[in-house]
Amino acid sequence: QKEVEQNSGPLSVPEGAIASLNCTYSDRVSQSFFWYRQYSGKSPELIMSIYSNGDKEDGRFTAQLNKASQYVSLLIRDSQPSDSATYLCAVILRGRGSQGNLIFGKGTKLSVKP
Amino acid sequence: EPEVTQTPSHQVTQMGQEVILRCVPISNHLYFYWYRQILGQKVEFLVSFYNNEISEKSEIFDDQFSVERPDGSNFTLKIRSTKLEDSAMYFCASRQEDTQYFGPGTRLTVL
């Protein structure tokens, strides 16, 4: 069973703090990893993708990937109330039968308090 | 910036009726997807479409579902005989390289 696990939260942080969101995945064939943000009633919006072990930074966001531990995380620095949303971790498997469809976790709800 | 569009934004139907959800993917993308999200649950893959045929489908995508690209721009999802449990948000996505871009979704309510 290919699973992506996330702590559902809610994760509450004060404005200006660092929010840390974590995700684990069960299938070692997973090779592409994504963080999407989803506001209530809206569609997923891509924040970052990461493919190699290590860190990838984009503005206030840093994605971290550790394939040996099957773990991917997202750090949000200087959190703003507008960052309050559900953050979805998603992976793409590789190998026979995979056509690049995303496998999503349930998401972590983040609340940034002013 | 190009984006995926979906119509209608909200569809209400009676159980047993057929519905067609429409999507216009980003024009130079070649891979298209349908996902659904039942309220409070995770986003689930339904089907992928490439070169005018289904390339992969999930267990959810049973005989009640079908997809079509009737012309050069539209990509449709048909549910032949809706059930109460089909009530969900349905998202269309199109892909460039590894990145999938989602449409705003259609909220389907089956009464």
Side-chain angles (χ1 to χ4, degrees):
Chain A
Q1 182 73 12
K2 304 173 181 67
E3 294 288 345
V4 177
E5 300 289 340
Q6 294 181 256
N7 186 327
S8 61
L11 173 66
S12 184
V13 300
E15 184 175 354
I18 295 175
S20 177
L21 304 160
N22 304 314
C23 172
T24 59
Y25 57 95
S26 62
D27 199 310
R28 289 191 175 274
V29 182
S30 304
Q31 291 194 7
S32 303
F33 307 87
F34 304 85
W35 283 100
Y36 282 83
R37 177 173 61 198
Q38 187 176 32
Y39 293 110
S40 181
K42 302 296 185 183
S43 62
E45 173 193 7
L46 181 69
I47 297 175
M48 290 191 70
S49 59
I50 186 166
Y51 306 99
S52 308
N53 280 327
D55 295 359
K56 179 181 177 183
E57 187 174 317
D58 183 1
R60 296 187 295 115
F61 299 97
T62 298
Q64 300 173 317
L65 175 61
N66 183 326
K67 290 188 179 181
S69 300
Q70 296 177 233
Y71 176 91
V72 58
S73 66
L74 179 71
L75 299 178
I76 306 175
R77 288 182 299 281
D78 188 23
S79 296
Q80 301 297 310
S82 58
D83 294 327
S84 298
T86 297
Y87 288 79
L88 310 178
C89 174
V91 305
I92 290 179
L93 305 180
R94 289 291 179 232
R96 181 181 299 189
S98 172
Q99 297 297 323
N101 55 285
L102 292 164
I103 299 174
F104 283 89
K106 288 186 176 180
T108 298
K109 187 170 184 177
L110 173 66
S111 176
V112 181
K113 303 294 187 186
Chain B
E1 185 173 325
E3 57 185 21
V4 177
T5 60
Q6 290 186 244
T7 54
S9 57
H10 191 187
Q11 175 87 49
V12 181
T13 190
Q14 295 291 325
M15 189 170 57
Q17 295 297 303
E18 175 183 287
V19 294
I20 297 176
L21 309 183
R22 291 182 167 79
C23 168
V24 178
I26 296 173
S27 61
N28 61 338
H29 291 186
L30 301 178
Y31 292 85
F32 314 122
Y33 303 82
W34 283 101
Y35 294 84
R36 80 170 185 192
Q37 186 176 31
I38 295 170
L39 186 65
Q41 298 188 26
K42 63 181 177 180
V43 178
E44 300 174 289
F45 166 72
L46 292 178
V47 66
S48 60
F49 194 85
Y50 171 71
N51 200 25
N52 280 322
E53 61 182 23
I54 290 174
S55 49
E56 188 178 7
K57 58 184 180 180
S58 71
E59 295 173 351
I60 303 168
F61 195 88
D62 61 21
D63 292 343
Q64 298 286 353
F65 292 89
S66 62
V67 289
E68 194 177 33
R69 189 158 163 82
D71 53 44
S73 58
N74 288 285
F75 178 49
T76 62
L77 174 69
K78 182 192 289 186
I79 309 174
R80 256 179 279 280
S81 177
T82 51
K83 305 173 204 155
L84 295 176
E85 55 264 37
D86 293 328
S87 294
M89 282 288 285
Y90 288 80
F91 297 111
C92 173
S94 65
R95 173 162 74 101
Q96 182 174 53
E97 297 181 353
D98 257 1
T99 301
Q100 293 189 28
Y101 299 88
F102 284 75
T106 293
R107 179 173 299 283
L108 177 65
T109 302
V110 182
L111 303 175

